[in-house]
Amino acid sequence: GAGVSQSPSNKVTEKGKDVELRCDPISGHTALYWYRQSLGQGLEFLIYFQGNSAPDKSGLPSDRFSAERTGGSVSTLTIQRTQQEDSAVYLCASSLATYEQYFGPGTRLTVT
Amino acid sequence: GDSVTQMEGPVTLSEEAFLTINCTYTATGYPSLFWYVQYPGEGLQLLLKATKADDKGSNKGFEATYRKETTSFHLEKGSVQVSDSAVYFCALSSGSARQLTFGSGTQLTVLP
């Protein structure tokens, strides 16, 4: 079946602009995660959604970052007033009620 | 907090050589352990997993054993191939969100 998809695959934006990154999880997967992969920090957890429960936002680096998940499926990660240190690959993963997470191809964000 | 320490790379081997990539962890409770692989230009793929002490995960000739007494999960393969060239990430899953905590990654290059 279809895997996790993310869009856009690449995004170049100017410092100070807002960006939205989209994730379509595997159908039926109740859990959805966002991670960030950057040269300086490696792979970092950002936020977690499980069903209709309140999200775990403990990994978000600042209040410029937010995310929502509509209808228990598609998720959007929004970064407001982007900074150069936000440049990274943003990864989305989904899972069932197991410990296996399946990752999408990522969105490469470049802030100029 | 939880952490994963991974053998630093890069690692360069000749085809058919034996591979070991060391991984140790620090965690509260009883984490699940994973190895993920990232091939050039591709997303993260789950390679193998172990969910409790003494479990051995295996896939594509790779193996790793969950050692609680040494808090380790070393990755091994008896005979590497050129196609195994990739970045390998050790990770643990813990907490109510089961988010992944990753090691820094080890770049493996296999020469023909």
Side-chain angles (χ1 to χ4, degrees), chain A residues 53-69:
Chain A
S53 302
D56 179 341
K57 305 178 183 179
S58 59
L60 294 178
S62 80
D63 58 8
R64 295 186 296 104
F65 288 72
S66 63
E68 62 177 21
R69 188 178 185 192

Side-chain angles (χ1 to χ4, degrees), chain A residues 34-81:
Chain A
W34 284 97
Y35 295 87
R36 178 168 71 174
Q37 185 174 22
S38 58
L39 281 177
Q41 302 297 324
L43 274 155
E44 307 170 277
F45 163 74
L46 296 177
I47 189 169
Y48 159 69
F49 295 90
Q50 172 61 47
N52 295 320
S53 302
D56 179 341
K57 305 178 183 179
S58 59
L60 294 178
S62 80
D63 58 8
R64 295 186 296 104
F65 288 72
S66 63
E68 62 177 21
R69 188 178 185 192
T70 54
S73 181
V74 171
S75 177
T76 303
L77 177 69
T78 301
I79 309 173
Q80 296 179 309
R81 305 181 302 282

Side-chain angles (χ1 to χ4, degrees), chain B residues 91-106:
Chain B
L92 67 82
S93 171
S94 64
S96 58
R98 310 304 301 186
Q99 71 267 25
L100 292 167
T101 300
F102 288 90
S104 56
T106 300

Side-chain angles (χ1 to χ4, degrees), chain B residues 8-12 106-109:
Chain B
E8 289 190 17
V11 174
T12 302
T106 300
Q107 172 78 57
L108 170 67
T109 301

